[in-house]
Amino acid sequence: MLYTLKKNLKKAGALLLAAMLATTVLFVTAPTIASAAAGLPDDLITAWDFENIPDDLFESGLALSEEDSTGGMSFGYTDALKGAKKGYNGSTAVKLRINAECPTNQYWSSGFTLLIENDSTAVTDWYGLKEFWFYVDCSEFKNCSLNLDVMIDGVHPDLYVPCYLVTNGKRTEAQTIKSWDGATTGRINVPTGFKGWVGLPAAAFDTTFGIIKSVSFCIEPGNDAKNMPLSLYVDQISIVKEDTSDALIRVGGDLFNKGTDKGNATLAINPDELHQVVLDYGASGAWSVPYMGDSAFIDEALKLLFTDEGAGLNGYRHNVGGSVKDDLSDAVTKTGGRAPLSPLKEDGTYDENRDIQSLHVMQKLVKMGTIDNFTIFMNTPPSTMTKNGMTSADPYDENKSNLREDCYEAYAKYVVDMVQLYNYLGIPVSYVSPINEPQLDWDSGSQEGCHYGADEALKICMLVIDELNARKKEDPSIVAKVSLAESNCWNDKSFVNYFFMKMRTMPELYSNIDHLCAHSYGTTASQKKKVATELEATGIDLPLRQTEYGPSYSEPDATVRTAVNVARVMYEDLTILNVDSWTYWRAIGNGLYTDSLVYASKGSSVVTTTKRLWAMGNYARFTKGATRVGADESNMPKKVYSSAYVNPRDNTLVVVVVNENEEDQTFSFSNLKAGSVATVYETSVIRDLEKRGTMTADDGYVLPAQSVTTFVFNDQDIDYAKYANPYSEKDAKQQEEDPTVAPTEEETEAPTEAPTEEETEAPTESGNEGEGTEAPTEAPTEAPTEAPKQEEPTPTPWTAIRIALFVIMAVALVALALIILKAKKKKEEK
């Protein structure tokens, strides 16, 4: 019996030991590439293996496409397909196929963006990234090498930084190259017929990555490329990460900063120091909406942009196009949205259906009820009123203004016609802007535009005001005022200093406007301070507005780098120029530049957000309708920017702090009530305007590197009634319609305690039913009583194997226990 017991124990122990060893090995090595791939890092983690991808990635929403591109990648000549047995060790790969119809001069820009965030099996948390790797098969390109353009979240690698090639177990190191004169970013030169691994250090990208949304690939075949179509195969997007499990940036929850040292930096808040009331934050529908406005993604995009489920913007600018001819022969460009059709037809009548998709978007926004300011603007007069019959200037015309002398009055009538037309169509136009960036020549042929001298611009604005006033006597629906002068930068003396001072001497003009506006392109903080001082000296007492800005990068760059840029510019304009309105350039883009807040493809239902969207939300969701108050930053770290607001709409004190540094920064609040608690909303490398938890103002606070943080206090001893609420009538009406609903959306109200992980609300579903689906008639104001059930991610093969081994190990343990009990029982019986 003793022999049998020992034998059975030995068998059970062997089974248990084998199961434990196998499980341990799998848990240690499952995410990594097999060590047989010589030349690769030992700790390489597979982020996306493509095993579950469908046949067409564009249709499935796993790739971003744009057939009507005006630059950058020519997606219309490229297919993103499933490449069966073309990946690493014969696995599935992504097939990038250049179509036979692709013109030779477009080979350089053939590529696509893979939306890694849309595959639930992919690893998207890349915080702590050390190296980036992927497998590539270029064997179809037998006659030329390839210059490979790679982007992570729209960021290219720098020039002349290290890159690695591994093939047949041999690793070589090279440098990224300049692919064209003037290039500021680098590409990887891949030899003819290469088949192997390509790697880049994270330092090559000059930014910090967190939750990744996309990876882009673009190829430039050599001049001797032949026999299109040809395909490049990409597989096994992989990463090497540092251990970031205990990083401070991840800490959150209830009073998560408790016990943090205060440090030496302090921010003193003074609610009694009153500045401007901030009316709205917005974006324009220019260029993309005219041909993407009826796409399946539009409802989701509008929710992300213009409700408090997203960024909470409440201003919208509509671009009235200048092309009159149906065939766009009067347009500067025949593709994309840069040539929108005017409602004006060649026979002199109006047809709103000529830009029907833009109209549908505005009507959706009206039904949503979240827009407080609709502005229509014109980049150019209609082509029938221009000197050259085109929507941009003739580069050989010395008199750069393209508006015909005999058409000034006609153009003013047309501008007011547009106000009446859109009012009639149910769009309540608040402002009309008849000129845009007038100091530029607009003769490059790349987009619509019309140059004006300062006196010409003043003449047009005065004519429009006269026409508005005349029509208002017969049409009480007209409430719109003129928005001017839309200078492309604040430090242009002809269209800021001279224009505003000359306007001050024209009481018939000055008395009919309620603000002055310009764009923040190319204007530094010191230049803005000078402008503010000079305008104050002129006696101009009208508010200023910033009506267009966006980082001007040729790559899409969705990272926190551009988000911090936008947040800093917003801070400058709000605190230096005291603007009462701040607008981003484009709301929606096709993923080619940094001029958009969200990206989407015309035929897709998928919307990809940028960090810029969420950084705007750090301000917009919490401070629209609020009064900016005092925030003494004199004892704060350099490159940390702070502003404070009292919002009578929900009785909160809101502080927004931008950390532009690449290192964490510590500070503490002063001049707040003892025991003050704020709810914290953060945009950083790992958060998108996420509710991080609550903090106590009695302790210090660590700002993550390159982040935007909003602190919402609702426990201050403030007389909120003394602060103006520009939306009091709207709030009262909403309260009257549903007394149970607070004046603002529930997300703006800060709880005194952080919710537990189980209580944290999941985002509501988009409700997007496909193309043509209307947005809800009212913006949602109540949180769902129960979080929507989250879709379970598809189990990976590794997951199934691990589960099986757990079962085996459990069975072995049970068997061992039974053997011991049985033996013990027999022994007792004897």
Side-chain angles (χ1 to χ4, degrees), residues 145-148 163 165 174-177 187-192:
S145 63
L146 297 177
N147 286 336
L148 188 60
C163 58
L165 300 176
Q175 283 189 329
T176 57
I177 63 169
R187 292 184 179 177
I188 302 167
N189 183 254
V190 180
T192 302

Side-chain angles (χ1 to χ4, degrees), residues 696-717:
T696 169
D698 292 341
D699 290 316
Y701 190 91
V702 180
L703 297 164
Q706 292 194 307
S707 64
V708 189
T709 306
T710 301
F711 303 87
V712 181
F713 296 91
N714 64 355
D715 56 358
Q716 300 302 295
D717 295 329

